[in-house]
Structures are given as structure tokens and as C-alpha cells.
């Protein structure tokens, strides 16, 4: 019965894996586009592109999982305006994650650059070289990061408010399973 008020184990595991990977991706992306030591820059690019390819699959899996496993209802104490804010923030996070992984993949493949991890696995690029497309995708990738960062700040802020101030059980719905029987 308690299961209907919290997210399932799969949703929690994928949430926290993606949370860590997205933060690392933002940090790597922001650092590697600065004037830094070339060898560190190359390593960050290889990490960013490979982890980004993994995230592409994780985002797709997560959206399918979410559509087939509806979120548990929020406590009745949550006002309508906050429900709406939560809904739009979560939807926005999905939208911006899709924009980031797709624009990143398009930018690299149409730019004619390798994704070393996929090459090692024998996965060929799905798109042909097209410089104009690569430049557009690059601009989208660089601009959309601001939207994603803003949504993450709101999301983490709301989670902290529920967990530390309201203590209404909303955070524990998604907290790792070991703190609660899952
Ligand atoms: C959630 C996923 C992703 C996040 C959060 C992310 C984040 C970022 C950020 C913050 C930058 C710096 C942009 C700038 O300030 O100009 C960047 C650049 C870049 N990202 Fe991503 N990225 C993601 C996915 C991907 C994927 C899937 C790929 C490719 C497979 C990719 C490839 C690149 C490349 C090549 C650059 C350098 C852009 C350039 O200047 O050419 N990213 N990314």
C-alpha cells in the first residue's frame, strides 16, 4: 500500500544516477569550453561526449518509464499553485534534458567529430556531416544550458524546502531506497 505514495526503486535509481551524471556533464561542459590545458580539455571532451551518449539512452528510458509508471500523488496538504509549479518544473527538466542530449549528439556527429565511446563499441554516427546543422545545434546546446541550470536550481531548492523546512515527506518519495523500505 505504501508503494503508491513513493516512487519505485527503478525510478529512484535512475533519478540519482542521472542527477550525478547531469551535474558532471554541466561541470565538464562549462570547463572544457574555457581556455584550459589542451590535454585536460581533450579528456573532458571525451568524457562529456561518451557520458552524453549514455545519458541520451537514459533520458529515453526514463521518459518511457515515467509514461508507463505514473508519479505517486502528492500529499493533499500541497496547495494547487505548488502542484502546478512542480508539474511545470518536472516537465521542463525532461524537455531541457532532451534538448541537451539531442543537440549535443547532433552537434558532434554533423560536425564530423568522433564520439570515442560509441566508436569503441562499434556504433556508427547516425547523421552525415553538415556544418550548418552543427553550428545550429551548437548554438542550441550552449543556450539551452541556461534553462537546464535554472530548472535544476528550482528543483533542488524545492526539494530542500520540502526536506528541511516543511518535512512533509515529499523528498523521501525520491530519496534513495535504503532510508525507507522500498
Ligand atoms: C544532459 C546532457 C548534457 C549537458 C548537461 C551538457 C552540457 C554542456 C555544457 C554546459 C556545455 C558548454 C556550452 C557552452 O557554454 O558553450 C556543453 C558543450 C558541449 N557539449 Fe554538452 N551537454 C550534454 C549532452 C551532450 C551530448 C549528448 C553531447 C554529444 C554526444 C555533447 C557534446 C558537447 C560538445 C561537443 C560541446 C562543446 C560545444 C562546442 O563549443 O562545440 N553534450 N555541454
Amino acid at each position: 500500500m505504501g508503494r503508491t505514495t513513493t516512487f519505485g526503486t527503478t525510478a529512484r535509481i535512475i533519478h540519482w544516477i542521472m542527477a550525478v551524471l547531469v551535474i558532471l556533464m554541466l561541470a565538464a561542459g562549462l570547463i572544457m569550453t574555457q581556455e584550459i590545458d589542451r590535454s585536460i580539455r581533450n579528456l573532458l571532451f571525451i568524457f562529456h561526449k561518451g557520458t552524453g551518449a549514455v545519458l541520451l539512452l537514459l533520458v529515453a528510458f526514463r521518459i518511457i518509464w515515467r509514461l508507463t509508471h505514473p508519479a505517486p500523488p502528492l500529499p493533499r496538504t500541497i496547495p494547487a499553485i505548488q502542484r502546478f509549479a512542480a508539474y511545470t518544473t518536472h516537465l521542463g527538466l525532461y524537455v531541457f534534458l532532451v534538448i541537451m542530449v539531442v543537440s549535443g549528439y547532433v552537434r558532434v556527429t554533423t560536425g564530423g567529430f568522433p564520439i570515442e565511446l560509441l566508436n569503441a563499441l562499434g556504433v556508427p554516427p547516425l547523421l552525415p556531416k553538415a556544418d550548418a546543422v552543427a553550428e545550429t545545434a551548437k548554438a542550441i546546446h550552449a543556450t539551452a544550458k541556461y534553462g537546464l541550470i535554472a530548472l535544476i536550481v528550482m528543483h533542488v531548492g524545492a526539494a530542500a524546502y520540502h526536506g528541511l523546512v516543511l518535512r512533509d515527506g515529499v523528498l523521501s518519495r525520491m530519496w534513495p531506497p535504503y532510508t525507507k523500505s522500498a
Side-chain angles (χ1 to χ4, degrees):
M1 289 299 275
R3 195 162 169 78
T4 53
T5 60
T6 81
F7 284 92
T9 304
T10 305
R12 294 183 197 213
I13 289 172
I14 195 164
H15 173 275
W16 289 104
I17 289 176
M18 283 183 61
V20 171
L21 293 185
V22 169
I23 296 300
L24 291 176
M25 287 293 285
L26 281 170
L30 292 173
I31 295 168
M32 75 195 194
T33 45
Q34 308 298 314
E35 296 290 325
I36 56 165
D37 180 82
R38 209 184 154 90
S39 53
I40 295 176
R41 191 166 183 263
N42 289 345
L43 280 177
L44 287 176
F45 260 90
I46 292 170
F47 167 79
H48 189 88
K49 290 184 290 178
T51 308
V54 172
L55 265 172
L56 190 77
L57 297 176
L58 284 178
V59 169
F61 174 80
R62 178 146 184 207
I63 290 173
I64 293 168
W65 190 264
R66 178 66 174 73
L67 290 173
T68 53
H69 298 76
L74 284 164
R76 290 176 205 280
T77 48
I78 309 282
I81 182 79
Q82 281 182 30
R83 290 170 187 273
F84 178 72
Y87 174 79
T88 43
T89 309
H90 296 157
L91 184 65
L93 281 166
Y94 284 113
V95 169
F96 274 85
L97 281 173
V98 170
I99 293 173
M100 289 307 287
V101 291
V102 171
S103 63
Y105 181 83
V106 172
R107 190 269 175 278
V108 172
T109 48
T110 59
F113 298 103
I115 299 177
E116 292 76 4
L117 177 69
L118 296 186
N119 287 355
L121 295 172
V123 180
L126 298 177
L127 298 168
K129 191 165 174 0
D131 289 337
V133 178
E135 283 308 307
T136 306
K138 177 179 172 175
I140 292 172
H141 201 69
T143 309
K145 71 173 185 277
Y146 295 114
L148 182 63
I149 292 170
L151 286 163
I152 291 172
V153 169
M154 287 195 281
H155 183 66
V156 173
Y161 183 59
H162 281 286
L164 301 174
V165 181
L166 298 179
R167 295 169 182 262
D168 56 5
V170 168
L171 179 60
S172 56
R173 288 153 40 99
M174 191 52 105
W175 200 245
Y178 54 78
T179 60
K180 217 174 150 67
S181 61

